[in-house]
Amino acid sequence: MTAERLRDRTKRQTRQLISDVATGLFTEKGFGNVTIAEIATAAGVARMTVTNHFPLKEDLVFDLAGELRAHLAKTVAAREPGTSALEALRREYTAKTGCGNDTLGGTDPAWAKMVCESPVLLARLRELHDQAEAELAARLAEESGDDGIVPKVVAAQLAAVNRLLFHHALRRSVAGDREPEILRSLAKTAEDAYAVLAPSIGDYGRTFATRQNSH
């Protein structure tokens, strides 16, 4: 293993350790009652190490913030020729509910309760979903060559489904549902939600995907 790969692995391990320790402290004491200094001490690292990995305290809870922001646009960008944006996202979501995924909204009741009870965390979650919508809109605008409102409208609808499903998972988890029940509920709810949008935007991006992949 090269020195660079070893450093990268060490960084990932340190980041995961900090996240795990922080989550444990937050669920035990409450998000607002834990300081960065406490997390650093419990993880055995310097305070600056914590802030280097997580500039925002809220992202110690949402340690997959980058994935939450980017996954809609990335899924659409990676779709096969002739596949609409809606269909790409529907398929990806269905696959996630089949195996479980942290970006679905969490199935840990303690974590879900902590998020739902914290205005700060809910505000950060809203910001992450807004950023995901903006990245998706930018992707659709780039593909279509349309700098008007239509790509933004499509992105807003698709992102709204993702946001509502995330909160659905949080509520079901807080209510005490088990993970298999939550995943089944998410799969069914997602199908219903995408079916509502299909008549209006179900074909949007199908020709873009063909054009993008033909270059």
Side-chain angles (χ1 to χ4, degrees):
M1 181 176 292
T2 66
E4 184 177 357
R5 288 178 60 191
L6 181 59
R7 283 196 297 271
D8 289 341
R9 187 178 72 173
T10 300
K11 286 181 181 178
R12 287 195 301 271
Q13 291 173 338
T14 300
R15 189 179 193 280
Q16 189 62 54
L17 170 65
I18 293 169
S19 176
D20 291 344
V21 168
T23 299
L25 289 172
F26 290 152
T27 53
E28 177 187 351
K29 300 181 178 181
F31 177 77
N33 298 322
V34 179
T35 66
I36 296 296
E38 288 179 82
I39 294 167
T41 299
V45 299
R47 188 183 189 282
M48 185 175 293
T49 301
V50 176
T51 55
N52 283 343
H53 283 282
F54 300 95
L56 294 176
K57 181 183 173 185
E58 300 93 286
D59 286 344
L60 284 158
V61 175
F62 303 115
D63 58 332
L64 296 176
E67 188 174 348
L68 285 171
R69 284 192 299 265
H71 77 283
L72 296 180
K74 287 174 63 176
T75 298
V76 167
R79 71 194 188 281
E80 293 295 321
T83 303
S84 72
L86 183 151
E87 183 62 18
L89 292 172
R90 186 193 66 78
R91 290 177 183 173
E92 176 71 6
Y93 196 88
T94 298
K96 287 180 179 180
T97 59
C99 60
N101 185 284
D102 288 341
T103 62
L104 294 175
T107 53
D108 179 344
W111 185 89
K113 185 173 185 290
M114 173 182 63
V115 172
C116 290
E117 291 181 348
S118 169
V120 173
L121 292 177
L122 288 174
R124 178 55 176 157
L125 181 57
R126 183 166 54 252
E127 182 179 33
L128 291 172
H129 281 131
D130 286 347
Q131 291 169 348
E133 178 184 328
E135 291 196 19
L136 177 57
R139 177 67 199 184
L140 294 175
E142 179 185 352
E143 286 188 3
S144 64
D146 182 355
D147 61 359
I149 197 173
V150 173
K152 296 177 182 178
V153 170
V154 173
Q157 297 303 308
L158 294 172
V161 170
N162 184 69
R163 181 178 65 253
L164 291 169
L165 289 170
F166 196 101
H167 283 280
H168 178 76
L170 288 177
R171 290 192 299 271
R172 294 293 298 262
S173 186
V174 170
D177 291 349
R178 299 173 66 85
E179 182 174 7
E181 297 170 332
I182 295 174
L183 294 177
R184 284 194 296 271
S185 177
L186 287 174
K188 176 61 169 62
T189 305
E191 285 295 330
D192 292 343
Y194 285 120
V196 169
L197 297 183
S200 56
I201 62 171
D203 286 329
Y204 186 87
R206 197 180 301 282
T207 56
F208 307 157
T210 303
R211 188 162 62 240
Q212 286 288 118
N213 286 277
S214 66
H215 292 322

